[in-house]
């Protein structure tokens, strides 16, 4: 195979023209952009002409625009390695893949046929089992498969269908024809990333996108959302995405899809099975859920009947499926279709079940559990890729990937024949397919890179609908003889280009169709995270204000043992804040805890707020390593306070005042009340040194207000009156109690038959008891009792709504 031309061979001038100079397909490899003679295909011509005419700086600006969008939207992919979990930027390849609409229609028809076939296979495996009886499917591939869930045998799905949302890996071979490389039916991922790819690509090439007549994606998701809603047992039932949680690698997509479609994002712990029905724990009590778009492996869904080690499932879920009270997308057990060895039998099964040949051929596969197939694989090992027969049994290399047969030496396994004979039931041989290439921008020029497509099929009221695009997986090297994209590759948008104008598509309702979700749909876990997000943010702000005041005085004296600083240091130690460095570790911990709480509710959190919060966390960690005590730390605390205020402002101005807002706000008010209660209990004590009252005013951001309101010097009474008892001061304790009571009164169940709930009664008692106090009545005992009462109020709220 000849090598690609070097980047230096390009004839491009400073204007950027000539980016395709030297571009040619690899020998024996099909190319999406140019035909075998090297001419640009018609579907690509206008796009290529446009980018040829762009100067370098303009193209770089366009790419930067797309990257900025993905960064600002918080698009990431979570990767796991030797050092643990890390979030990586989505590897966007800026040049889209263009496919003519007529060619795509053939691909779509083939995938619809395949989706119907997979449905029929699943129905047979969990039903009459004729494929095994008649010899079309070896019993070992079913009975010995970890994805075959025996408790689901004979259980018909509530919706009448096992499959609702599938994805397919397809690639173009050297002959120019498309092949199916893999089926994804367990919990297909990437649809949300396909949407984000589309937005990023349209930002980079806005005018080209409009002029090229590209089919839109919104109608595909709109049709599927309608299908999900139609599966509900009643209009009061909920539809949700069921996620393993924030630690999963595609959690961003789970949150994005839930937010995009306007449905709930739930984890297993959010659900309970009551009288055979799936219920979600909300702040308004248990509410029915009848449709779950499953994004976790089926075996984890029910630790009672499936995987007993699962910590992310819901006990009793299988029984709910038997009762027909919940519909899964896709049905539990459908992951068996991803078995790699099954590909060897799909052509014959298609003829048996559908009475026709596959419209899109499957990559040639041989299951080595049969003698003839073992012999064939051994004889043609140099042209094979050897992989696990059951797709979820990793072996071979450290990543559980398949390996080229040409790299396996007989000496490594004594002999190839013996190895295949002993382990054949666990192995498949697949033809090493040479994938087609597509242009990617490499060092300023278009360069061929291998690619495969991930395409999605959704079951709608009108049958299977194929997403007009999907996304392309782009290799990062010139080696095209591979089945899966190499690690480190990218993902590109796929444009299906029409010869006719394309109608716009949107998920927004029409003027006559303004649906609203049923009320009381805030899961208790989401409320808990919102509440603690508010508390951690306010806790961080309170610490920042104290630390700024401390470092400002330390910058003047450089003596941490002077009475006021030593006095405040002792107070900080009671809050587990150690003054060992300019930025204490506990402050970093509080900000990180806020980020963690927010990460658990990404579907309810704006991208702007998420970016602002992450920026605050990154800056805090950087200051932890670089900031010195004194003036440097004072300046750093001011920067952090501004960033925190920016985040709080975004949330306050943009967050819809639904029930979740009330928990976020209550968390902030309660934490601020605790902060001021503890601060005043210490700073106005009998042993408070000189300067303590002024420092309390500074921490409370009330220095100027005190000067305007009181024509006397700072005293214990004036500080107490302003920071504890002034109902108009947003920093006072009484103000927090007024707001807490107002928010609690709006929560579900605050009044029952006209009677206050215990939580509302306690909030009212605290507010009214403090409102009748005077400054001279406030002493250390009152502050201590108030702190205890606020903590008890938090516990009551947790027991009432967050359990």
């Amino acid at each position: 195979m000849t090598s690609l031309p070097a980047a230096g061979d390009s004839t491009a001038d400073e204007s950027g023209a000539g980016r395709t100079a030297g571009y040619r397909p690899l020998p024996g490899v099909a190319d999406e952009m140019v035909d075998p003679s090297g001419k640009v295909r018609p579907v690509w011509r206008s796009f290529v002409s446009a980018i040829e005419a762009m100067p370098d700086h303009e193209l770089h600006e366009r790419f930067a625009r797309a990257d900025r969008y993905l960064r600002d939207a918080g698009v990431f992919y979570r990767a796991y390695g030797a050092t643990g979990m890390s979030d990586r930027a989505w590897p966007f390849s800026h040049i889209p893949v263009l496919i003519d609409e007529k060619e795509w229609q053939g691909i779509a028809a083939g995938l619809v046929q395949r989706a119907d076939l997979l449905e029929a296979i699943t129905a047979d495996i969990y039903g009459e089992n004729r494929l095994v009886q008649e010899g079309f499917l070896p019993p070992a591939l079913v009975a010995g498969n970890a994805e075959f869930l025996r408790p689901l045998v004979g259980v018909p799905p509530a919706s009448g269908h096992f499959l609702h949302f599938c994805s397919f890996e397809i690639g173009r071979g050297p002959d120019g024809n498309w092949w199916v490389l893999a089926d994804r039916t367990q919990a297909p991922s990437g649809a949300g990333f396909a949407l984000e790819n589309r937005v990023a690509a349209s930002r980079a090439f806005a005018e080209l996108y409009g002029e090229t007549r590209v089919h839109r994606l919104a109608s595909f998701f709109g049709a599927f959302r309608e299908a999900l809603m139609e599966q509900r047992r009643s209009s009061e039932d909920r539809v949700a995405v069921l996620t393993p949680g924030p630690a999963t690698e595609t959690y961003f997509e789970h949150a994005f899809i839930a937010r995009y479609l306007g449905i709930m994002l739930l984890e297993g712990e959010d659900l309970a099975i009551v009288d055979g029905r799936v219920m979600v724990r909300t702040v308004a009590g248990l509410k029915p859920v009848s449709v779950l778009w499953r994004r976790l492996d089926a075996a984890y869904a029910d630790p009672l009947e499936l995987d007993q080690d699962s910590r992310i499932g819901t006990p009793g879920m299988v029984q709910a499926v038997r009762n027909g009270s919940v519909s899964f997308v896709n049905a539990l057990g459908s992951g068996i279709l991803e078995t790699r060895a099954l590909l060897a039998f799909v052509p014959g099964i298609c003829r048996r079940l559908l009475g026709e040949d596959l419209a899109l051929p499957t990559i040639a596969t041989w299951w080595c559990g049969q003698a003839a197939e073992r012999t064939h694989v051994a004889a043609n090992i140099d042209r094979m890729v050897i992989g696990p027969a059951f797709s979820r049994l990793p072996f071979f290399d450290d990543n559980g990937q398949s390996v080229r047969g040409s790299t396996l030496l007989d000496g490594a396994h004594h002999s190839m024949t013996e190895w295949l004979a002993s382990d054949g039931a666990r192995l498949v041989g697949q033809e090493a397919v040479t994938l087609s290439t597509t242009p990617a921008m490499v060092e300023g020029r278009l360069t061929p890179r291998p690619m495969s497509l991930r395409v999605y099929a959704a079951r709608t009221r009108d049958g299977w609908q194929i997403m007009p695009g999907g996304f392309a997986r782009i290799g990062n090297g010139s080696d095209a003889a591979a089945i899966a994209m190499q690690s480190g590759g990218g993902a590109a948008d796929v444009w299906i280009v029409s010869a006719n104008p394309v109608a716009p598509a949107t998920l927004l309702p029409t003027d006559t169709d303004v649906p609203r979700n049923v009320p009381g749909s805030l899961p208790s876990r989401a409320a808990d995270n919102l509440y603690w997000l508010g508390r951690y943010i306010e806790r961080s702000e309170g610490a920042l204000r104290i630390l700024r005041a401390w470092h400002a005085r330390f910058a003047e004296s450089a003596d941490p043992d002077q009475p006021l600083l030593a006095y405040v240091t002792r107070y900080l130690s009671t809050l587990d804040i150690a003054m060992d460095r300019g930025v204490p570790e506990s402050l970093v911990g509080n900000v990180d805890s806020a980020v963690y709480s927010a990460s658990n509710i990404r579907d309810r959190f704006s991208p702007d707020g998420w970016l602002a919060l992450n920026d605050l966390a990154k800056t805090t960690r950087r200051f932890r390593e670089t900031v010195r005590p004194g003036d440097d730390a004072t300046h750093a605390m001011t920067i952090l306070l501004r960033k925190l205020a920016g985040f709080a402002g975004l949330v306050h101005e943009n967050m819809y005042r639904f029930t979740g807002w009330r928990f976020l706000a209550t968390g902030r008010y309660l934490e601020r009340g605790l902060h001021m209660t503890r601060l005043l209990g210490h700073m106005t004590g009998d042993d408070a040194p000189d300067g303590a009252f002024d420092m309390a005013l500074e921490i409370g951001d009330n220095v100027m207000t005190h000067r305007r309101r009181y024509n006397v010097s700072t005293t214990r009474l004036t500080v107490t009156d302003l920071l504890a008892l002034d109902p108009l001061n947003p920093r006072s304790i009484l103000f927090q109690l007024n707001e807490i009571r107002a928010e609690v009164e709006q929560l579900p169940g605050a009044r029952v038959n006209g009677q206050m709930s215990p939580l509302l009664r306690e909030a009212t008692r605290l507010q009214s008891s403090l409102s009748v106090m005077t400054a001279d009545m406030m002493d250390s005992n009152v502050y201590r009792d108030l702190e205890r009462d606020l903590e008890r109020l938090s516990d009551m709220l947790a027991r009432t709504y967050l359990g």
Side-chain angles (χ1 to χ4, degrees), residues 381-384 403-409:
I381 192 67
D382 58 327
R383 297 188 295 108
M384 294 285 177
V403 295
R404 301 276 186 84
S406 58
T407 67
L408 296 175
L409 301 176

Side-chain angles (χ1 to χ4, degrees), residues 6 84 91 94 117 274 342 389 404 436 534 674 681:
H94 302 89
L117 175 62
V274 180
L342 184 63
R404 301 276 186 84
S436 64
L674 277 170

Side-chain angles (χ1 to χ4, degrees), residues 293-331:
W293 186 352
R294 175 173 60 85
R295 300 306 299 271
L296 77 168
D297 290 354
Y300 296 138
D302 186 350
L304 192 63
E305 295 198 53
L306 300 176
D307 187 345
Q308 63 182 3
D309 294 326
S310 172
R311 297 294 182 268
I312 57 176
T314 307
M317 187 64 78
V318 170
Q319 186 58 47
V321 173
R322 291 194 190 99
N323 294 342
S325 66
V326 63
S327 176
F328 270 101
V329 177
N330 290 323

Side-chain angles (χ1 to χ4, degrees), residues 110-272:
L111 294 180
V112 167
Q113 179 207 48
R114 194 173 188 91
D116 284 334
L117 175 62
L118 295 178
E119 170 72 27
I121 293 173
T122 315
D124 179 81
I125 290 174
Y126 288 97
E128 296 181 349
N129 204 20
R130 290 184 177 179
L131 292 175
V132 171
Q133 294 175 11
E134 298 174 6
F136 287 92
L137 191 59
L141 291 185
V142 177
N145 197 323
E147 296 301 325
F148 176 59
L149 304 182
R150 292 181 183 274
L152 276 303
V153 172
V155 179
S159 67
H161 297 286
F162 289 87
L163 302 180
H164 307 84
F165 195 87
C166 309
S167 71
F168 307 92
E169 300 288 342
I170 65 174
R172 193 197 295 272
D175 59 359
N177 294 320
W178 291 93
W179 295 72
V180 175
L181 308 176
D183 304 302
R184 297 286 178 252
T185 54
Q186 174 74 275
S189 63
F193 291 119
L195 274 171
E196 293 288 31
N197 284 345
R198 174 58 55 87
V199 177
S202 63
R203 295 286 178 92
F205 303 108
E207 67 287 355
L208 287 174
Y209 178 69
E211 296 169 358
T212 308
R213 296 175 175 176
V214 181
H215 280 275
R216 303 318 197 240
L217 303 182
S219 59
F220 171 83
F221 287 96
F224 187 54
R225 182 176 67 176
E226 291 179 4
L228 291 175
M229 295 301 176
E230 290 173 355
Q231 289 187 48
R232 293 180 299 171
R233 297 180 58 183
S234 74
S235 60
E236 294 300 309
D237 286 7
R238 275 74 177 162
V239 177
V241 173
L242 181 60
T243 175
T248 190
E249 62 269 21
T250 53
Y251 180 73
F252 164 82
E253 185 202 7
H254 303 172
F256 175 84
I257 286 290
R259 186 167 58 238
Y260 183 73
L261 297 184
I263 59 181
M264 303 175 78
L265 180 67
L266 302 178
E267 297 180 29
E269 67 179 271
D270 295 325
L271 301 172

Side-chain angles (χ1 to χ4, degrees), residues 546 567 571 672-688 692-693 695-697 699-700 715-726 729 731-734 770 778-780 782-784 786-787:
I546 298 174
Y567 187 73
Y571 170 66
R672 183 174 290 185
L674 277 170
H675 162 71
M676 193 56 67
T677 298
R678 291 164 178 159
L679 181 71
L680 291 178
H682 189 79
M683 301 295 280
T684 62
D686 295 335
D687 59 342
F693 300 154
M695 191 173 184
L697 287 174
I699 294 170
T715 67
R716 178 179 287 104
L717 292 180
T718 59
V719 170
T720 301
D721 184 60
L722 182 59
L723 295 182
L725 303 176
D726 193 328
N729 180 9
R731 295 281 170 184
S732 77
I733 302 172
L734 182 57
L770 189 65
M778 301 293 292
D779 58 23
S780 59
V782 172
Y783 287 120
R784 185 168 54 253
L786 184 56
E787 178 183 351

Side-chain angles (χ1 to χ4, degrees), residues 550 553-554 557-569 579:
W550 191 97
R553 285 155 180 79
F554 177 75
S557 65
D559 179 13
D561 296 324
Q562 63 149 300
L564 179 58
L565 292 184
Y567 187 73
V568 176
T569 300
M579 300 300 292

Side-chain angles (χ1 to χ4, degrees), residues 478-559:
S478 59
D479 182 5
I483 291 179
M485 290 297 95
Q486 304 171 30
S487 60
D493 191 18
V494 178
W495 292 5
I496 308 305
V497 181
S498 174
N500 303 307
V502 176
T506 178
L507 287 186
L508 295 177
T510 63
D511 291 340
T512 59
D513 178 24
V514 189
R516 288 186 177 180
N517 288 337
V518 292
S521 293
L522 179 68
S524 297
R525 179 185 53 83
D528 186 46
N529 280 289
L530 285 164
Y531 174 71
W532 279 101
L533 172 62
R535 290 200 64 172
Y536 283 125
I537 285 298
E538 192 60 39
R539 189 174 297 178
S540 299
E541 180 179 345
L544 282 170
R545 293 188 177 279
I546 298 174
L547 291 168
R548 184 173 65 171
W550 191 97
H551 283 289
R553 285 155 180 79
F554 177 75
E556 298 172 356
S557 65
D559 179 13

